[in-house]
Amino acid sequence: MTTENRIEALRQEVRAWLESNVPTGWREAMTNVEQDAFVAAQRDWFVKLSTAGYATPHWPQGWLGGGRSLAEQKVIFEEVARADAPRLILYFVALYHAACTLFECGTDQQREKYLDGILQGKIWCQGFSEPNAGSDLASLRTKAERRGDRYVINGQKIWSTMAQYADYCLLLVRTDNSGPPQAGLTYLLLDMKTKGVSVRPISQITGDDEFAEIFFDDVEVAVEDRVGEEGAGWAVAQATLASERGLTLVELTQRMRYALPMLVQSMRQNGCEHDPVVHRDLGKLIANVDAACALADQYLMKRIMGDEQVGDASIVKLFYAKTLREFAALGVRIGGLQAQYYSGFMRGATQETGHWTLDFMNSYNWSIAGGSNEVQRNIISERMLGMPREPKSWQLAEGKA
Amino acid sequence: MSFELKELQDSTRRVIDAAGIAADESELWSQLTELGWLMVTVPESLGGLEAGVQGACTMHCELGRGLARAPYLPAMLALDAICGSEQSERDTWLEQVFAGGLITTCLAECSLHVSDSRLDGSATGVQSADSAQHVLLWTDSNDLVVLVDLRKPGVAITAKPTWDLTRRLFDVELDQVPLSEHHIVAEGESARVMIQRLAALRDFYLAADAIGGAQTMLEMTIEHLQTRVQFKRPLALFQALKHRCADMKASIVAAEAMLFDALRRLEGDLDNPQFGIKARGVKMFATTMFTQVAEDCLQLHGGIGMADEHPCHLFLKRALLSEQLSGSGAAYASNLALDLIENSGNLQSGKCA
Ligand SMILES: Cc1cc2nc3c(=O)[nH]c(=O)nc-3n(C[C@H](O)[C@H](O)[C@H](O)COP(=O)(O)OP(=O)(O)OC[C@H]3O[C@@H](n4cnc5c(N)ncnc54)[C@H](O)[C@@H]3O)c2cc1C
């Protein structure tokens, strides 16, 4: 079989499987649902998808579902988007951030210890951001002190998605204050049940509490749960962050494309189906969504060909985040007063639920998290367009906090 | 990008860079025809390069980078129609083009009808009509594509000076022009398909041209910001300006991805009606993007941007015209929306709130 035929055969296989396996009515079921039911539903779908081998196409050969080429992975993601399957947000960090970090920087022992657990449904969260370290991640202060064969951790993380459900955490801590900030970071794997860990969910503007604070009070982590050398945490964290680029954006842009008819449905419901002004806005959005899909696709092709350049990923993320906001904003306009009536929230849904005001709030996920739009613009202008970096030295004016 | 396309791109860029921004029309035209560039999409069997629409767009992009003045865009459209013709005159027309003769066409609106074997009507946006021998036009009923001799009685051309200084447009009026067999390029169903295809190609070519123009404009602007010093530092250090450049870069790259993605998917299937709607989306996105980029870049140049001697305004004016040629952004946006509305019948339940 030629490569093209093989890819097409895979597409048909995945499509057929999804047709008979995607839970029907999951959107209704996940609207205003209690947490336990949400966790159960995510787990059910995770088990189904991973048993079929479609949750881990990006894993290496030898692991369930792994060893797929990027082109094959892309097909699986496109089909999942096309089938409007639930998004596995509870397992996102486990399947991507944790797995990719372990594959790239972990030891054999660590891979053995943790990866099977991921396949069995262990949930991971990412503990990088802190109250005083967001965009400037390298300034983080959560401290880990080496005592014999353990690290003792004190400090606080924030905005950690799904931390309240997590079994494990990818933890970035400070082990040294003497050199440049990046050089003093160390990367640890933490069991969330360890003594001294406490989690406090943070209520979001959507009404959901999808992220949380994590507090550390003399929490002990064994040295063998360190990824990379002491002081090499920054480089390991880059591997973690890179894992959500590429395929995820192919899936998300495709989902956005398949969600366009929802806007038409709202137009019909709200009687603006024939409004020429709405037509214009919708037409512009359609083109932007098309461009976002093409960008994500092109980016993946570049990676397949080994042509990726600095800034490419930033362009895709920035453009997606902006288009997603426009999408939701148009939904809000089309929805009119109707969209202002509280309609609850949908757990574990995609970015497009048709609850337009909720979607609008949720679109900030992509413009703030994972390097904000502004940070992406810095990367594009400085590293791609060769414009100068901000001057480093700067001091607070006398008497200011 | 394939190796062949890359080569085509490099060689075009060399020539255009050497010619400079908005170089002289007739000089560039002779250079273009001598190098055989009009032949990019022409099949090898007819003496062309057979580089397909991707090849043509790669070239239009490069020509757009230099705000090239020559009427290669209508010429390539007319040539595409001629190559698709099944008429016996085809080879005579091809020879005329190979010899450097210009056959132009309409970049705006064409409204023609036939009665008693005579053509009446008009066409707007006919580029460089004064230096062309023939113009390729089509009837309102979409069943006839003709080549009209611009020097024959009953044909009047009127120059329509534009703000854009890089393209010269004309109106063409036909008054009882005898229609002879010799001038029919396509009839009936094949004419219908040809007209659709020409409309789509016109959109793709204008999009490619806009992408090229936007690229140069942004590069020039960044260079300006790097060298212009105010407040004891290069302007390029100001983040407010850097971020605007980053946004412009992202939309240029997006337009390019969108254009070539559409061509990759549709290249082998140019007569598919989806080709037309895709082309409209790409044209709208790319030309609006070009206007936005040109608009912002002029602003970032400050006073010098408003000086006639500086090329900024040439980009802005070309962008504004391109946005209106073929079909306006507003009209195309409505087309896209109506297409979606028509094709998204009733959603399966569960998908929507
Ligand atoms: C939905 C959501 C989920 C998240 N999940 C996780 C998670 O699981 N784990 C985790 O560790 N973190 C997570 N985060 C945190 C996220 O990574 C940070 O919010 C992000 O890095 C921004 O940091 P900040 O919130 O401190 O904002 P700040 O860095 O304080 O930024 C505030 C504003 O200033 C702008 N800004 C900052 N620096 C610059 C600059 N140099 N130039 C120009 N503008 C600048 C920003 O763009 C922003 O608009 C999540 C955030 C969100 C919103």
Side-chain angles (χ1 to χ4, degrees), chain A residues 64-86:
Chain A
L64 174 70
R68 298 274 193 190
S69 68
L70 265 177
E72 289 172 320
Q73 297 173 36
K74 175 163 173 266
V75 164
I76 295 174
F77 280 84
E78 283 172 351
E79 289 304 315
V80 165
R82 183 178 178 276
D84 187 36

Side-chain angles (χ1 to χ4, degrees), chain B residues 132-152:
Chain B
Q133 179 73 40
H134 288 97
V135 59
L136 183 103
L137 299 173
W138 48 91
T139 55
D140 293 343
S141 46
N142 280 339
D143 55 3
L144 192 62
V145 180
V146 289
L147 271 188
V148 176
D149 189 334
L150 285 158
R151 319 265 161 87
K152 281 281 157 69

Side-chain angles (χ1 to χ4, degrees), chain B residues 1 5 8-9 12-13 16 28-29 32 37-41 52-80 107 127 167 200-216 259-260 263 290 318 322:
Chain B
M1 189 182 280
L5 286 187
L8 185 65
Q9 183 186 47
T12 321
R13 186 166 298 188
I16 295 298
L28 184 65
W29 177 255
L32 275 171
W37 281 0
L38 297 183
M39 309 295 156
V40 235
T41 57
V53 186
Q54 284 193 57
C57 284
T58 303
M59 239 180 64
H60 283 296
C61 209
E62 294 305 315
L63 289 156
R65 284 181 64 88
L67 304 187
R69 289 175 192 259
Y72 51 89
L73 198 148
M76 280 170 63
L77 290 172
L79 191 54
D80 189 270
L107 300 181
Q127 197 182 345
R167 284 169 295 190
L201 287 180
R202 189 167 75 178
D203 285 335
F204 281 128
Y205 292 176
L206 284 166
D209 186 271
I211 291 166
Q215 285 170 348
T216 319
L259 169 66
F260 286 97
L263 296 181
F290 186 20
R318 183 162 168 124
S322 286

Side-chain angles (χ1 to χ4, degrees), chain A residues 126 128-129 134-135 159-161 211 365 368-370 372 374 378, chain B residues 239:
Chain A
Q126 178 186 314
F128 286 11
S129 304
S135 301
W159 318 129
S160 184
T161 301
F211 49 35
N365 285 353
I368 296 176
S372 68
E374 289 73 23
N378 287 346
Chain B
Q239 197 184 50

Side-chain angles (χ1 to χ4, degrees), chain B residues 14-235:
Chain B
R14 270 196 299 279
V15 173
I16 295 298
D17 281 354
I21 301 272
D24 181 72
E25 175 173 339
S26 57
E27 269 174 42
L28 184 65
W29 177 255
S30 13
Q31 228 178 345
L32 275 171
T33 48
E34 266 163 42
L35 289 165
W37 281 0
L38 297 183
M39 309 295 156
V40 235
T41 57
V42 174
E44 277 178 8
S45 59
L46 297 177
L49 297 177
E50 206 169 313
V53 186
Q54 284 193 57
C57 284
T58 303
M59 239 180 64
H60 283 296
C61 209
E62 294 305 315
L63 289 156
R65 284 181 64 88
L67 304 187
R69 289 175 192 259
Y72 51 89
L73 198 148
M76 280 170 63
L77 290 172
L79 191 54
D80 189 270
I82 290 168
C83 290
S85 170
E86 284 153 7
Q87 306 292 313
S88 55
E89 300 291 318
R90 186 188 70 185
D91 293 347
T92 328
W93 298 327
L94 280 175
E95 268 163 41
Q96 185 186 331
V97 175
F98 288 171
L102 168 62
I103 299 177
T104 186
T105 189
C106 154
L107 300 181
E109 276 180 32
C110 179
S111 165
L112 277 195
H113 54 269
V114 187
S115 58
D116 294 337
S117 294
R118 279 168 192 277
L119 284 166
D120 275 294
S122 63
T124 55
V126 180
Q127 197 182 345
S128 301
D130 59 345
S131 45
Q133 179 73 40
H134 288 97
V135 59
L136 183 103
L137 299 173
W138 48 91
T139 55
D140 293 343
S141 46
N142 280 339
D143 55 3
L144 192 62
V145 180
V146 289
L147 271 188
V148 176
D149 189 334
L150 285 158
R151 319 265 161 87
K152 281 281 157 69
V155 182
I157 66 170
T158 317
K160 301 288 284 184
T162 47
W163 281 96
D164 177 17
L165 300 170
T166 60
R167 284 169 295 190
R168 297 180 308 110
L169 300 188
F170 293 81
D171 282 353
V172 174
E173 303 269 350
L174 306 188
D175 181 18
Q176 294 281 298
V177 177
L179 172 67
S180 100
E181 278 291 297
H182 302 311
H183 295 128
I184 295 178
V185 180
E187 291 180 281
E189 185 52 25
S190 47
R192 219 181 312 280
V193 173
M194 185 181 281
I195 293 165
Q196 254 182 31
R197 177 184 159 101
L198 284 174
L201 287 180
R202 189 167 75 178
D203 285 335
F204 281 128
Y205 292 176
L206 284 166
D209 186 271
I211 291 166
Q215 285 170 348
T216 319
M217 181 84 264
L218 180 60
E219 286 161 19
M220 272 174 43
T221 304
I222 290 170
E223 205 174 296
H224 175 73
L225 296 175
Q226 301 267 31
T227 44
R228 170 85 178 154
V229 174
Q230 289 292 285
F231 304 98
K232 298 201 175 89
R233 70 196 80 176
L235 291 175

Side-chain angles (χ1 to χ4, degrees), chain A residues 93 97 125-137 157-163 170 204 210-212 241 362 364-378 382 390, chain B residues 239 243:
Chain A
V93 175
H97 306 80
C125 66
Q126 178 186 314
F128 286 11
S129 304
E130 295 179 7
N132 288 311
S135 301
D136 183 11
L137 182 62
K157 295 289 173 180
I158 196 167
W159 318 129
S160 184
T161 301
M162 305 282 151
L170 302 168
Q204 257 183 12
E210 73 125 60
F211 49 35
L241 294 171
N362 253 329
Y364 284 88
N365 285 353
W366 283 92
S367 60
I368 296 176
S372 68
N373 284 4
E374 289 73 23
V375 167
Q376 307 302 340
R377 289 184 180 107
N378 287 346
E382 290 169 5
E390 304 278 300
Chain B
Q239 197 184 50
H243 281 194

